[in-house]
Amino acid sequence: MTDDHVRIFDTTLRDGEQSPGCTMTLEEKLEVARQLARLGVDIIECGFPAASPGDWAAVHQIAREIGTEDGPTIAALARANKDDIERAWTAIQPAAKKRIHTFISTSDIHIEHQLRSTREAVLHKAREMVRFARSLCPDIEFSPMDASRSDPEYMYLVLAAAIEEGATTLNIPDTVGYATPEEYGALITGIRQHVPGADRIILSTHCHDDLGLAVANSLAGVRAGARQIECTINGIGERAGNASLEEVVMALHTRESFFRTRTRINTQELARSSRMVSTFIGVPVPPNKAVVGANAFAHESGIHQDGILKNRLTYEIMNAETVGLEGNALVLGKHSGRHAFRKHVEELGYQLNDDDLQQVFVRFKDLCDKKKFVDDRDIEALIAGETQHTPEIYTLEHVQYNSGLGMIPTATIRLQGPDGTVHTDSAHGTGPVDAIYKAINRIVQRPNELMEFSINAITEGLDAVAEVTVRIREQGAPENGEARTTEQPRRPQVYSGYGVNTDTIVAAAEAYMGALNKMLAARQERLKAEAAAYAAGYNQNAPLYAVDVFGTDAS
Ligand code: KIV
Ligand code: ZN
């Protein structure tokens, strides 16, 4: 099928979220899924339900809320075994448009060393499991994992069997990011030429970025006839990540006459999607990142500025507004009322409940008193800060710090605890942030390691609002491969927090509290999600997998 529509299959919530340090809470996953629907992606792969009851429950809830008649197709991943496929199927049930995505490795290195199986057995299993999946669901995607390192002749047989059994999309993963664009394009061409029935199904790309070629390979796949690209916001994903959604979309958009295809993406939502994912996982977008980086449209050198002033086309191949990076002029100010503010927030694409809206409104008014020009970037930052959906197990009530040249930095913190009790403590440190974090830790008493701390000014100017992002790792989480109990997370967990304030040090305290509260709430949430999954029909006797479930066949 080579129509000109390239389907965008977003796997931020599956391949992206499963990579270390990209964990999101259920509320965050839902918020990202809502944004992906606004962005106009065709398919959202929202998880791997067999990984844990919590993953199943998240997929189920996204399917219920986002999988509406006119919304995206909701896909879930399953290894090629009945148990996984059934769990994927039950998880996506509430969606109007559902897809089961099943996979099995076809490279000899995976078949021999990882699956400890044979080519014949894998071919048989692929056939059987696609047939089984198709008996449940009319929309079936099949992936021969490690396709780019598979013997093409053998892979053609597996793909042909998948088509015979009813697969509607064949996805061709460059699982280890090994292929070059020429090779990857030739792989797609070879499949189109040699696999019977390939003209009746959609061919899809799934490229990892180990050699920095994921986007180039995906585009080479489209040139060769692929009509679905699997990608993630900001390119997050296993190891070096997946093809970045914003880059493939803008390449196809900007070079439409070259590719002769189109996507259905609303490009003006790209920047917001990027900021949202970055905030939730606590990984800042590098300033030089293509399409959505802060410098992507900045012209520094004199000669470039001169050209831009004369005619933007001299140095600009796309404009910032197309990706939603400009058009930030705000018509509201300190005298605006709550009603107008709500309307503006809705126009920005956010649906806040009354409490969140009130909190953001109060902070907006406060900001208008401190900052000369407040624009949409500030409002979005305030929204992100207020709606991190972090249960307030400890509430930050008071921050006081003393620091300066020749002084010992000290901080006093007051927190309200879970039972309403108020705790105050002080500490000194190497700087005000260190002192604050030590004082907080003296109260909360949960060992953690600060992995990342970054500060960014949201807008230009000396009065800019600071946004601080921190990432912490809980100590004592199980290492990869260790057995886990219901109490333990599936992998060593990293939690991110985000703070916005005109006072950078207070923003740092808010960010740290956000991450700590997430860490404290994670266990509570996991137990709740597992209970919900069991209540909704998840098999109670199914084993709880250890950290990495991809390495086993589990049949
Ligand atoms: O990279 C990969 O091979 C995958 C498959 C599960 C599609 O993510
Ligand atoms: Zn992948």
Side-chain angles (χ1 to χ4, degrees):
M1 268 184 228
T2 47
D3 55 11
D4 70 352
H5 172 208
V6 174
R7 289 112 185 118
I8 296 297
F9 176 114
D10 181 276
T11 184
T12 305
L13 296 173
R14 198 281 294 169
D15 210 321
E17 208 266 345
Q18 85 188 26
S19 61
C22 292
T23 317
M24 291 180 227
T25 63
L26 175 61
E27 281 301 328
E28 287 168 342
K29 288 183 191 174
L30 277 165
E31 199 67 60
V32 169
R34 279 183 208 116
Q35 177 59 25
L36 291 172
R38 273 198 292 270
L39 181 63
V41 307
D42 301 276
I43 302 114
I44 300 179
E45 182 170 57
C46 51
F48 181 25
S52 74
D55 288 57
W56 185 95
V59 174
H60 197 251
Q61 194 151 340
I62 292 170
R64 198 166 54 220
E65 284 195 27
I66 318 297
T68 55
E69 206 60 60
D70 52 355
T73 296
I74 302 295
L77 186 70
R79 288 166 298 182
N81 69 66
K82 278 194 163 182
D83 195 35
D84 272 31
I85 292 170
E86 263 161 5
R87 281 192 253 183
W89 178 234
T90 53
I92 58 176
Q93 264 322 292
K97 290 177 268 174
K98 328 180 219 299
R99 175 179 295 187
I100 298 175
H101 175 192
T102 187
F103 72 98
I104 191 162
S105 291
T106 50
S107 68
D108 288 333
I109 186 159
H110 278 208
I111 293 176
E112 281 166 33
H113 299 283
Q114 190 175 20
L115 302 180
R116 298 191 198 292
S117 186
T118 61
R119 285 187 177 194
E120 293 67 34
V122 165
L123 172 59
H124 179 72
K125 177 158 275 183
R127 179 181 284 287
E128 294 275 288
M129 289 305 117
V130 171
R131 182 186 304 153
F132 175 63
R134 183 61 203 252
S135 72
L136 303 172
C137 178
D139 185 347
I140 300 298
E141 174 167 327
F142 172 74
S143 295
M145 198 179 192
D146 205 15
S148 54
R149 293 191 303 165
S150 302
D151 169 6
E153 298 299 328
Y154 168 67
M155 190 180 65
Y156 297 156
L157 292 177
V158 177
L159 294 177
I163 294 176
E164 273 170 32
E165 299 303 337
T168 41
T169 299
L170 293 183
N171 176 48
I172 310 303
D174 182 22
T175 304
V176 292
Y178 181 72
T180 65
E182 288 74 14
E183 287 169 336
Y184 193 78
L187 188 62
I188 299 292
T189 303
I191 293 168
R192 291 184 67 200
Q193 285 170 350
H194 296 109
V195 176
D199 54 335
R200 284 186 273 117
I201 51 90
I202 299 286
L203 281 172
S204 163
T205 69
H206 180 108
C207 299
H208 280 269
D209 207 30
D210 299 65
L211 294 174
L213 294 171
V215 169
N217 286 343
S218 309
L219 296 173
V222 169
R223 289 280 286 167
R227 287 295 177 266
Q228 173 177 289
I229 299 183
E230 301 202 353
C231 47
T232 58
I233 301 291
N234 296 338
I236 66 170
E238 285 287 347
R239 306 178 311 279
N242 290 64
S244 135
L245 183 148
E246 50 283 358
E247 292 176 25
V248 291
V249 165
M250 285 315 289
L252 294 175
H253 180 89
T254 309
R255 303 299 309 278
E256 193 179 318
S257 58
F258 176 74
F259 288 104
R260 296 183 181 283
T261 57
R262 48 187 77 219
T263 70
R264 295 187 181 154
I265 294 297
N266 174 4
T267 59
Q268 291 187 334
E269 292 292 333
L270 287 171
R272 181 173 301 141
S273 311
S274 163
R275 277 200 296 274
M276 181 183 283
V277 169
S278 155
T279 303
F280 286 167
I281 63 173
V283 179
V285 176
N288 63 335
K289 165 89 172 62
V291 180
V292 289
N295 293 346
F297 295 90
H299 298 276
E300 279 295 330
S301 90
I303 194 159
H304 284 210
Q305 287 181 348
D306 177 56
I308 285 286
L309 288 174
K310 289 176 176 148
N311 181 341
R312 298 202 75 82
L313 294 178
T314 51
Y315 289 95
E316 245 179 38
I317 58 164
M318 44 188 175
N319 71 55
E321 277 175 24
T322 312
V323 303
L325 273 174
E326 268 177 21
N328 296 310
L330 179 68
V331 283
L332 300 176
K334 64 191 283 184
H335 301 296
S336 304
R338 222 172 83 95
H339 183 69
F341 185 74
R342 176 189 279 281
K343 195 158 167 285
H344 190 76
V345 165
E346 281 170 5
E347 277 161 13
L348 285 176
Y350 295 92
Q351 271 158 12
L352 304 190
N353 64 35
D354 288 347
D355 282 354
D356 284 346
L357 185 89
Q358 179 58 22
Q359 296 298 331
V360 178
F361 184 59
V362 168
R363 295 199 66 174
F364 165 72
K365 288 279 183 172
D366 190 37
L367 187 59
C368 289
D369 282 336
K370 292 181 182 151
K371 193 170 178 271
K372 209 162 158 199
F373 300 108
V374 177
D375 75 23
D376 288 350
R377 290 169 294 175
D378 294 310
I379 302 219
E380 287 190 342
L382 294 181
I383 293 172
E386 266 326 306
T387 57
Q388 287 180 82
H389 307 293
T390 310
E392 292 253 305
I393 295 181
Y394 282 94
T395 309
L396 184 63
E397 286 194 342
H398 172 91
V399 181
Q400 185 185 325
Y401 59 88
N402 277 306
S403 182
L405 190 63
M407 290 174 70
I408 296 175
T410 53
T412 301
I413 291 291
R414 192 169 69 229
L415 302 181
Q416 195 186 106
D419 48 4
T421 50
V422 172
H423 309 257
T424 305
D425 216 324
S426 306
H428 57 82
T430 52
V433 174
D434 186 46
I436 285 174
Y437 287 10
K438 281 188 173 134
I440 291 175
N441 280 330
R442 283 168 67 95
I443 300 172
V444 176
Q445 303 252 343
R446 275 298 175 112
N448 65 85
E449 180 193 350
L450 182 64
M451 299 179 63
E452 210 170 295
F453 178 92
S454 68
I455 306 178
N456 181 37
I458 289 172
T459 51
E460 309 73 27
L462 285 174
D463 61 355
V465 174
E467 62 178 350
V468 174
T469 305
V470 300
R471 305 212 307 152
I472 62 172
R473 189 201 300 268
E474 184 174 24
Q475 284 165 345
E479 287 302 321
N480 196 358
E482 279 181 10
R484 86 170 179 93
T485 64
T486 35
E487 308 280 311
Q488 290 177 299
R490 189 154 63 85
R491 50 184 182 242
Q493 297 287 300
V494 175
Y495 301 93
S496 65
Y498 178 75
V500 273
N501 207 291
T502 43
D503 183 325
T504 310
I505 307 295
V506 174
E510 290 172 354
Y512 193 58
M513 285 310 302
L516 268 181
N517 274 329
K518 263 193 201 170
M519 184 176 97
L520 297 170
R523 183 178 161 278
Q524 262 167 261
E525 188 180 292
R526 198 165 44 250
L527 293 177
K528 213 170 94 199
E530 294 188 356
Y534 291 135
Y538 184 90
N539 177 4
Q540 297 232 22
N541 300 319
L544 281 172
Y545 290 111
V547 180
D548 181 5
V549 296
F550 267 45
T552 56
D553 188 20
S555 50

